[in-house]
Amino acid sequence: MAEDSRPSSLAFGQVVIGPPGSGKSTYCQAMREFLARLGRPVAVVNLDPANEALPGPCALDIGELVTLPDVMGSLGLGPNGGLLYCMEYLEANADWLRERLRGLRGHYLLFDCPGQVELYTHHQALKNVLAQLAKWNFRLAAVHLVDSHYCTDPGKFISVLCTSLSTMLHVELPHVNVLSKMDLIEHYGKLAFNLDYYTEVLDLSYLVDHLASDPFFRNFRRLNEKLVEVIEDYSLVSFMPLNVQDKQSMRQVLQAVDKANGYSFGEREQRSLEALMSVAVGADFHFSSTLAVQEKYVQSQDKAVEEEVMDL
């Protein structure tokens, strides 16, 4: 049997994706520190050729192979075209990636990916790279980060749902959608519905009705209804709330990802009864984490109302 096909050669990790500014690099470093405290060998792999200022240690950097400024300068491409070229160049030089990853066997890997949405919705290069990793016995789950401030705008939230669904169908990896920066949500504005409405993606017809109250969106009601029907027909999209500064929040996301990529059922420390039980009752943990954020959000809103009353 070939060495790479043995069960012991399996490697696990997360492919961290999402639009620019969603907190991918911050998440990778926070998760790296969190896993290190748990005693799990972990390494960050930077696959973003535009990421020149990494916020923390990086075991492997695509910048050793290709960088966006070099591509833009030599080929006369813009940022978007340059990123697409870089991913195609990485795909063409997959042997370089494989050789570098050999030295990280035994580590749980965090792949910090570019923020260009096209890479996850219809472009093939990064998808092919991830498929190649699967052939090399890497068991990965996609962690799709979305800034929680989109919840405050119903139109943007519907757009985010469509993007998340398209990403899930295109990337073809086990998927965990995450609402990032939950510690800042009270600064973004008042939510139209409770937080669990957005994390569980409940009946979206209420969101369409809420949009219809805006004169600008009233003319697009049928379009929004059809978009919502597509999302609900697939019934795939839901979100987990995340605050990288909260250990409990990080633990909930890690449990969901470990279940998605199969790490929980491997031959490592996750085979413990406690870990398997936490996976079995993951829905309860998810509910409690959402409830905690919801309570904090409501308290901040009540405090703001009290201050306004006092000012009057």
Side-chain angles (χ1 to χ4, degrees), residues 270-282:
Q270 293 299 97
R271 282 297 294 268
S272 67
L273 178 61
E274 179 183 359
L276 293 176
M277 287 300 294
S278 69
V279 169
V281 296

Side-chain angles (χ1 to χ4, degrees), residues 43 60 74 109 119 126 140 191 194 210-211 233 245 248 252 283-284:
L60 174 58
S74 60
L109 300 180
L119 293 171
L126 186 57
L140 305 173
L191 298 180
N194 289 336
H210 186 76
L211 271 175
D233 285 347
Q245 299 177 2
Q248 181 68 5
Q252 306 304 330
D284 293 335

